[in-house]
Amino acid sequence: MQFNDTAKKDALAAFARLPQAVREQIQFSSVRLSNDRFTGSGALVIDANQIQGIVTAKHNLCVRAGIDTPAAWNENQVNGLITSFLDGLKVGYDFPATAPDNTRLPTPAKEQELNAAISDIEFRNGYGRWDYDLMFISFKAPLPIRDYIAASPKHRVTYGNGDLAFYRQDPAGKGVFVTGFGDVLNAQGGQLNLSHPFQVRNAAIASRQAQVLRHSRPDLYFTDALITEASNNSSTATGDSGGPAFYVSGSRVYLMGATLGANFLPNRLPPDAPIINNAATALYAGGYLF
């Protein structure tokens, strides 16, 4: 993530003020994804069908492969991207229970290595298209990370049809905590840390947009975007893609979406700098919870 010192301290202070059980659930359900030089982020979940898995950004398939998000869906290409992404994918999870501070950003204590034989990727209501940027990593074998998810409600975020009334609300104005394991940058974009630790920022959702333009492809869109406040002083960064945006209501933690990137607008293409907003792909889209 990218911060100036004040914004970083403010975000960590806001996170530390959360009830301990809520703070731990946010931290323990956040995971780092890595494969060779690729880093991404995600969330451990149990979905509406009681399936354990990881929600992350679909475009991470392309980041791992070193390509732009394609204009059109090609089944053979997608299958190849899935295999390349999953084979050797390391999921970093579990942390010390103490809250992070400005000088101590925790790194995952455990790693689960995956491959295409023991895991899979589901696109669900985003199948056959690139514009809805969520994917679900599921497990096909008994694994330690599955035991971890099952061991405690703090180790996952759950969602289901009983939550539809909440997710149908206008999210504008809701405050969220966004977590990720991306580059650690200062406000000028300088790299401060190469360990890809757990990071968190707080922001408010400014709006929900049916579609936003892709910066690199002005003829293409991403859909169902939650636009959050951001600037050079507080923003996601490379490696935070797929990182969860959490909303807290009392003792309940809701997964609102997964990080898409920075500088997205519905009707024009802003330049890369300065940072004017962040976007996350909404978990609830088209009448369905992903």
Side-chain angles (χ1 to χ4, degrees), residues 86-100:
L86 290 176
D87 282 347
L89 180 68
K90 296 178 177 65
V91 182
Y93 67 101
D94 198 21
F95 303 89
T98 54

Side-chain angles (χ1 to χ4, degrees), residues 43-112:
L44 299 177
V45 303
I46 295 180
D47 72 2
N49 295 313
Q50 299 300 300
I51 298 173
Q52 298 173 326
I54 301 169
V55 172
T56 186
K58 189 187 298 183
H59 77 266
N60 277 335
L61 294 174
C62 305
V63 177
R64 165 70 178 104
I67 64 172
D68 290 334
T69 302
W73 188 271
N74 178 288
E75 195 74 16
N76 290 332
Q77 180 190 39
V78 171
N79 289 337
L81 291 172
I82 290 172
T83 300
S84 174
F85 185 85
L86 290 176
D87 282 347
L89 180 68
K90 296 178 177 65
V91 182
Y93 67 101
D94 198 21
F95 303 89
T98 54
D101 59 35
N102 199 38
T103 60
R104 185 184 66 251
L105 296 173
T107 56
K110 300 175 183 176
E111 272 192 346
Q112 174 70 64

Side-chain angles (χ1 to χ4, degrees), residues 197-217:
F198 172 85
Q199 299 163 76
V200 60
R201 82 178 199 96
N202 59 331
I205 297 174
S207 65
R208 175 177 179 137
Q209 299 294 333
Q211 61 182 30
V212 290
L213 285 166
R214 298 187 204 176
H215 180 75
S216 60
R217 292 296 301 269

Side-chain angles (χ1 to χ4, degrees), residues 3 18 23 31 37 45 105 111 118 137 145 158-159 161 172 176 188 201 203 211 214 222 228 245 284:
F3 286 112
L18 292 172
R23 187 180 69 242
V31 293
R37 289 176 291 179
V45 303
L105 296 173
E111 272 192 346
I118 61 174
I137 303 173
I145 196 169
T158 60
Y159 55 89
N161 291 334
V176 291
Q188 291 74 43
R201 82 178 199 96
Q211 61 182 30
R214 298 187 204 176
F222 286 113
T228 58
Y284 176 73

